[in-house]
Amino acid sequence: MSYRLSDRRAEAEAKFGTEAFYASLGRAFVTMCAVIPVLFLIEAIDVGIGAGRLDAAGGIIPRHIDGLDGILFSPFLHAGWAHLYGNAVPLILVGTFALAGGTIRFIWSTFVIMLVSGIGVWFVGDPNTVVVGASGVIFGYLGLLLTRGLVERSWWNFGVAAFIGLLYWYQVYNILPTDQPISWQGHLLGLGGGILARSEEHTSELQSHH
């Protein structure tokens, strides 16, 4: 069994209550707060050129070839200011704790979540709709934190995910079918993508320790 220095650093940063933990959490919070203005800028551009034009160009259009690029672009687009406001705070919260677990892990997990949620929505979503929003990624981070809590026996990860889930319980219900203009498929698949991302992390960690 061997350990890399990066593994030991990640372990120190993940240990609740340590100076390294709080420093990592602070850096992650600042980073996520910097992401939100970018999303607002994108929405302002969309409104400026004609509300919905960017959404139509970069959103996921299920089972349409020209809607495939939305897998990458749709999380950065929102259907109006209210939609963006509703996603901003949850994204900062779950994103901060997901990023605090390590930058490389965060990037990899985000990629997996976007891929699973986006491709899934493209296959099973309503072909007469355009799907946009960071909700799938938010639910993905929630699933990631819950799974990290269980796999790593990190109760603060699990507790944070549970707390945020209770705080935004009305959004958690949106992983179930609804008559509202909400992509519950994206939420559910995003949650699954977060669980899958942490499972992949666990597999690679086991391989690196043998």
Side-chain angles (χ1 to χ4, degrees):
M1 181 180 292
S2 62
Y3 293 93
R4 294 171 296 184
L5 290 177
S6 58
D7 293 333
R8 292 181 178 177
R9 179 181 175 183
E11 184 178 348
E13 291 181 345
K15 190 173 181 181
F16 180 80
T18 63
E19 185 177 342
F21 168 82
Y22 290 120
S24 175
L25 200 60
R27 289 192 300 268
F29 178 72
V30 170
T31 300
M32 291 309 301
C33 285
V35 168
I36 301 303
V38 175
L39 299 183
F40 275 87
L41 176 61
I42 293 172
E43 185 60 27
I45 293 172
D46 187 32
V47 171
I49 64 175
R53 290 183 64 182
L54 280 184
D55 295 345
I60 300 172
I61 306 175
R63 298 193 288 284
H64 289 265
I65 297 299
D66 57 353
L68 273 172
D69 57 354
I71 294 171
L72 295 177
F73 298 125
S74 63
F76 302 97
L77 302 168
H78 290 82
W81 296 112
H83 186 202
L84 178 52
Y85 282 125
N87 280 341
V89 175
L91 182 59
I92 290 175
L93 290 175
V94 290
T96 293
F97 286 96
L99 178 55
T103 304
I104 300 301
R105 297 172 80 193
F106 177 78
I107 294 172
W108 164 251
S109 298
T110 302
F111 175 74
V112 172
I113 291 166
M114 289 173 60
L115 210 59
V116 172
S117 178
I119 292 177
V121 166
W122 190 85
F123 274 109
V124 305
D126 183 347
N128 298 313
T129 61
V130 177
V131 180
V132 295
S135 301
V137 173
I138 292 170
F139 276 89
Y141 290 155
L142 196 61
L144 177 70
L145 293 176
L146 285 169
T147 311
R148 279 182 182 174
L150 293 173
V151 173
E152 301 173 11
R153 296 182 182 178
S154 172
W155 294 112
W156 74 265
N157 260 319
F158 188 84
V160 165
F163 173 73
I164 295 172
L166 289 172
L167 192 63
Y168 293 96
W169 61 269
Y170 60 94
Q171 289 200 23
V172 173
Y173 276 123
N174 290 331
I175 64 173
L176 302 175
T178 174
D179 293 331
Q180 300 297 317
I182 295 171
S183 178
W184 63 270
Q185 300 97 328
H187 298 169
L188 182 60
L189 289 163
L191 187 70
I195 294 171
L196 177 64
R198 181 58 192 104
S199 299
E200 290 295 324
E201 284 179 356
H202 184 55
T203 300
S204 64
E205 286 165 3
L206 289 176
Q207 291 173 346
S208 68
H209 291 165
H210 287 297

